[in-house]
Amino acid sequence: MSPTSTPAAPKVSKVEGIKERSHGLREPVATELRQDTTHFTEDAVQILKFHGSYQQDNRDNRVKGQEKDYQFMLRTRSPGGIIPAQLYLALDTLSEQYGNHTLRATTRQGFQIHGILKKNLKTVMATIVRNLGSTLGACGDLNRNVMAPPAPFKDRPEYALAWEYANNIADLLTPQTGAYYEIWLDGEKAVSAEEHPDVVAARQRNGNRTIFHNHEEPIYGAQYMPRKFKACVTVPGDNSVDLFSQDLGLVVITDDQGNLEGFNIYAGGGLGRTHNKEETFARVADPIGYVDKADIYDAVKAIVATQRDYGDRAERRHARMKYLINDWGVDKFRSMVESYLGKPLQPLKPLPPFEYKDFLGWHEQGDGKLFLGISVENGRVKDEGTFQLKTALREIEQTFALPMRLTPHQNILLHDIEPGDRPKIQAILTRCGIQAETDIDTLVRYSMACPALPTCGLAIAESERALPTVLERIRALLDRVGLPDEHFVVRMTGCPNGCARPYLAEIGFVGQAPDAYQVWLGADPHQTRLGLVYMDKMPIQDLEKTLEPLFVFFKQKRNANESFGDFAHRVGLEALRQFAAKYKPGQVAKPARPGKARYRIGIRDEVYEKLKAIATDKGLSMTDITTQALEEYLKQFDR
C-alpha cells in the first residue's frame, strides 16, 4: 500500500448495510407495507424484526409450484412478563380474528401471535399498542425483552426491585427512532407509562464515549448492535430467568431491611450455535463485578457500548457478546467496560446457590391477596377438545381483570386475586379441563420446547409438536426400569439456535435432521451448568434404545438424592457410552412401585365432563375422583 492510499473500510456483513440504510428502521418496511403483496423482501424482513415481527411460511401448506404460504409472527415486548388484563384480552381477540386462534407464551416472557397475513399486520400492531402493549425491540439486533422473576411477592422488596429495574433497563435500551409509531400508528404516539427520570438522564449522559450526541439513537447509533442482546434482572437464589444464558444478567443486592444497595453483574452467556461449526458454541455467563445502585444505568450502557463497538460485525455467527468475551477473556472485557464506565467495578457480593423456581399453584403474595401459577405446556394457549385454556383465561380476565405475568418457562401467573374469588377462578379452570400443578406429570411440568415446524424458517426437526409424545415415551420407560417417580428437566428445539435453552437441560434434544436429534446430557436441574453432546443424530424412533441403558445405569450408580443431570455430569459421558455399549436390552427391573407410575387412558367426553363437575363440587382433583371410582368398580371382580 502506498503512503497516500486510503485504508480499506472494515468488512461488514450484508445485514449491517441494511441496518445503516434503513433510515432509523423505517425503510424498506414503510414502503413495502403499502404494496399489495403477500410478503416483504429480504431487506425489509431484516428491519421488520426490530419492529417485533418475523416473516414465516407454513411448511405444512406448501404446494410445489405455488407461492409459499406467507404469514407473520408478532411478539410482544413485556419487561418482566407483565401483561395487563386489557392487553391480554386484546391479544386473545386478535389471535381469533387475524391469527391461528392460539397464543404462545415465549421463553422470554412475551406473547406471540402466529398466522397473521401481511394485509392485517398494521391493524394487529396498532391494536396491541393502543391496548398498553408494544412489540418494538422484541426481535432484531438490539436489546430484547428484559426478563425478571415473575413472582409478585409484595412482602419481599427484592422481587419488586428486580421488576422495577428490568422495566427501567428495557426503557433505557428501547430504540428511540420514531419509525415504529410512524409506520404502525401513522405517527400517533401511544399513551405509555412515563420513564423514570434517572433513565432519561442516563440515556443522554455520555460518560466515556457511551452515546452518540445529536443522534436519533444515542445508544445504538445507525447500525444498532452486532447481533441480538439479551438481559435479565433477578434476585439472589432465584434462577427462574436462566441467568447464565443471558448476554447480561443483573442480581439485585439489598441490605437486611430490603433497601437496594447495588447489583452483581454477569455477562457473556448465549446458547445459539450451528451444527458442524465448532467455532460456534453455547456458553454460560461469567461473573464480571458489582456496582452500586447509583451506577447501574451507566454500567449497563458501558457493557452495551463495549459490545456495540467491538462485537464482530463481519461474521454474524461470531457476533454475540459471548464470542467477544471468549476471545478477549474476562479481564480484558472488564477493563474495557471500566473504561466506558469511568471507574473500576467492585468485587461480586456473596450469593446463595441459584435454584430453579416455577411458582405454579396457589400462593400468598404477601399483602393478603393471592397469585396463581398455571402450567402451559410448551407455552401454547389454546382450546383443543376438552382442554379449554384459552376459554378459561378469557373468562377469568373478562370477569376479574387480573394482571398477568408470563414466566421464563412459558407459564402464566395471575395475581392480585382476592381470596374470596379463589373458588370461582378454580371452578372455571376445572370446568375447562386445566389440571392442578400436582396432577401434572413432573416431566411435563419442567419441560420446554420451541415452536419449530411448521412455521419457523430455521427448524430442521419437530419440537413443540413432538415433545408431548417424547415425554410420554420417557415416562413409560422410567416406569419400566423402576424409576416411576423420577423427573428431570427436558427441553427440545427444532434447530441448534437454542430458543428453548436445551443446553441447560438435564436432557436436551436439538434438531439435527428430519426426525433426528443431537442429545445433550449433564446440565444441572437448576440450569447453572451447560450439558455436553452425548450423541449426534439420534433417530427419534431410537429414543428408548438410547435412553434405557442411561436410566438403568443411573438407577444402579446414583448417589442419594442425585439428579439425573448431576449423575451424568459426575460419571462423565464416556462412562455413559461404555455402559450403553455393553448393555443388553430387555434386562430391566420391574417398577419399584407400580402404583406410582402414570398411565393414560381414554374416556368419552360426557364421562370426562361429569368427572369435572364432581371434582369441582367435592374440591378434589380429577385424578383422585377417577382413582376412587375405579377402585370401587374393580372390587366386584375381587369377590
Side-chain angles (χ1 to χ4, degrees), residues 1-144:
M1 182 185 295
S2 68
T4 58
S5 298
T6 303
K11 178 186 175 185
V12 296
S13 69
K14 178 183 175 182
V15 175
E16 292 300 311
I18 295 171
K19 290 186 287 187
E20 191 168 21
R21 294 189 301 271
S22 71
H23 185 44
L25 306 181
R26 291 171 175 85
E27 294 295 345
V29 172
T31 296
E32 293 188 19
L33 186 65
R34 297 190 294 268
Q35 296 171 350
D36 185 19
T37 60
T38 60
H39 60 283
F40 291 89
T41 64
E42 182 53 37
D43 284 10
V45 165
Q46 292 298 331
I47 301 305
L48 186 66
K49 293 176 184 178
F50 288 78
H51 295 261
S53 181
Y54 279 91
Q55 179 169 287
Q56 300 181 327
D57 137 52
N58 189 330
R59 287 190 244 177
D60 283 352
N61 296 339
R62 281 185 183 175
V63 178
K64 189 174 181 179
Q66 294 185 15
E67 183 182 78
K68 294 178 179 178
D69 181 18
Y70 287 109
Q71 51 186 256
F72 294 81
M73 177 269 282
L74 267 178
R75 180 184 296 157
T76 64
R77 169 194 173 273
S78 312
I82 301 295
I83 304 289
Q86 177 182 336
L87 176 58
Y88 179 78
L89 289 171
L91 293 170
D92 177 78
T93 300
L94 290 169
S95 70
E96 294 295 328
Q97 292 181 343
Y98 302 107
N100 68 353
H101 310 291
T102 74
L103 291 170
R104 196 171 195 280
T106 76
T107 58
R108 293 199 66 79
Q109 297 181 276
F111 266 127
Q112 290 180 175
I113 305 178
H114 292 258
I116 303 165
L117 300 181
K118 184 190 174 200
K119 65 181 180 181
N120 298 322
L121 199 54
K122 185 171 181 176
T123 297
V124 176
M125 198 87 79
T127 303
I128 289 172
V129 175
R130 290 183 177 125
N131 285 277
L132 311 178
S134 177
T135 65
L136 176 60
C139 324
D141 295 347
L142 75 177
N143 178 59
R144 301 287 184 90

Side-chain angles (χ1 to χ4, degrees), residues 297-313:
Y297 300 126
D298 288 326
V300 169
K301 285 198 307 175
I303 291 168
V304 168
T306 300
Q307 166 63 0
R308 178 197 69 200
D309 295 345
Y310 294 97
D312 192 341
R313 292 184 182 269

Side-chain angles (χ1 to χ4, degrees), residues 215-497:
H215 197 288
E216 188 175 30
E217 293 287 8
I219 293 178
Y220 289 126
Q223 290 178 287
Y224 295 84
M225 298 293 277
R227 280 299 295 271
K228 58 188 172 185
F229 186 89
K230 296 180 175 181
C232 72
V233 185
T234 191
V235 307
D238 187 331
N239 197 30
S240 61
V241 296
D242 273 2
L243 168 72
F244 296 95
S245 70
Q246 314 277 347
D247 291 86
L248 170 63
L250 304 176
V251 183
V252 171
I253 304 296
T254 58
D255 63 19
D256 292 341
Q257 287 73 46
N259 300 308
L260 178 64
E261 292 186 332
F263 298 83
N264 277 358
I265 299 174
Y266 294 77
L271 303 185
R273 47 181 289 278
T274 303
H275 287 309
N276 302 317
K277 294 199 177 290
E278 297 304 315
E279 67 274 19
T280 68
F281 46 81
R283 188 180 191 278
V284 292
D286 291 300
I288 303 298
Y290 167 87
V291 294
D292 293 326
K293 63 180 180 181
D295 295 324
I296 186 57
Y297 300 126
D298 288 326
V300 169
K301 285 198 307 175
I303 291 168
V304 168
T306 300
Q307 166 63 0
R308 178 197 69 200
D309 295 345
Y310 294 97
D312 192 341
R313 292 184 182 269
E315 174 52 66
R316 287 183 66 78
R317 285 199 182 103
H318 189 253
R320 289 287 297 276
M321 194 167 75
K322 64 180 177 179
Y323 296 114
L324 181 65
I325 294 180
N326 189 74
D327 293 346
W328 279 5
V330 172
D331 289 342
K332 180 178 178 179
F333 177 82
R334 183 187 296 112
S335 295
M336 184 61 70
V337 170
E338 291 172 339
S339 74
Y340 280 105
L341 180 60
K343 63 173 67 175
L345 296 171
Q346 302 172 48
L348 256 68
K349 302 294 184 181
L351 293 174
F354 281 102
E355 297 180 3
Y356 166 69
K357 302 174 186 289
D358 67 9
F359 306 110
L360 295 186
W362 288 95
H363 302 268
E364 298 276 351
Q365 63 183 36
D367 60 353
K369 295 184 179 180
L370 308 173
F371 74 88
L372 170 64
I374 301 171
S375 178
V376 185
E377 188 170 0
N378 296 322
R380 186 68 65 177
V381 179
K382 61 183 178 180
D383 287 347
E384 188 174 87
T386 56
F387 177 77
Q388 298 281 303
L389 179 59
K390 202 160 190 282
T391 293
L393 290 174
R394 183 187 309 122
E395 184 175 342
I396 289 169
E397 290 302 322
Q398 287 173 341
T399 305
F400 302 99
L402 298 173
M404 178 184 291
R405 299 193 187 202
L406 304 182
T407 84
H409 290 255
Q410 303 174 295
N411 299 319
I412 291 174
L413 303 189
L414 303 174
H415 60 105
D416 290 351
I417 301 171
E418 296 290 346
D421 291 334
R422 175 174 175 170
K424 304 170 196 173
I425 292 169
Q426 187 60 60
I428 294 171
L429 294 170
T430 302
R431 170 165 47 83
C432 291
I434 313 306
Q435 290 181 302
E437 78 283 0
T438 52
D439 290 335
I440 299 167
D441 188 327
T442 45
L443 282 176
V444 175
R445 177 171 178 168
Y446 298 113
S447 69
M448 287 204 299
C450 70
L453 296 171
T455 53
C456 178
L458 300 175
I460 305 166
E462 293 281 3
S463 181
E464 180 184 348
R465 298 193 295 195
L467 187 58
T469 300
V470 166
L471 295 177
E472 287 185 357
R473 291 168 65 185
I474 292 175
R475 174 56 66 199
L477 180 58
L478 288 169
D479 290 344
R480 194 163 79 240
V481 302
L483 294 168
D485 296 327
E486 199 60 45
H487 69 86
F488 30 76
V489 178
V490 181
R491 295 175 180 173
M492 175 178 276
T493 57
C495 83
N497 281 289

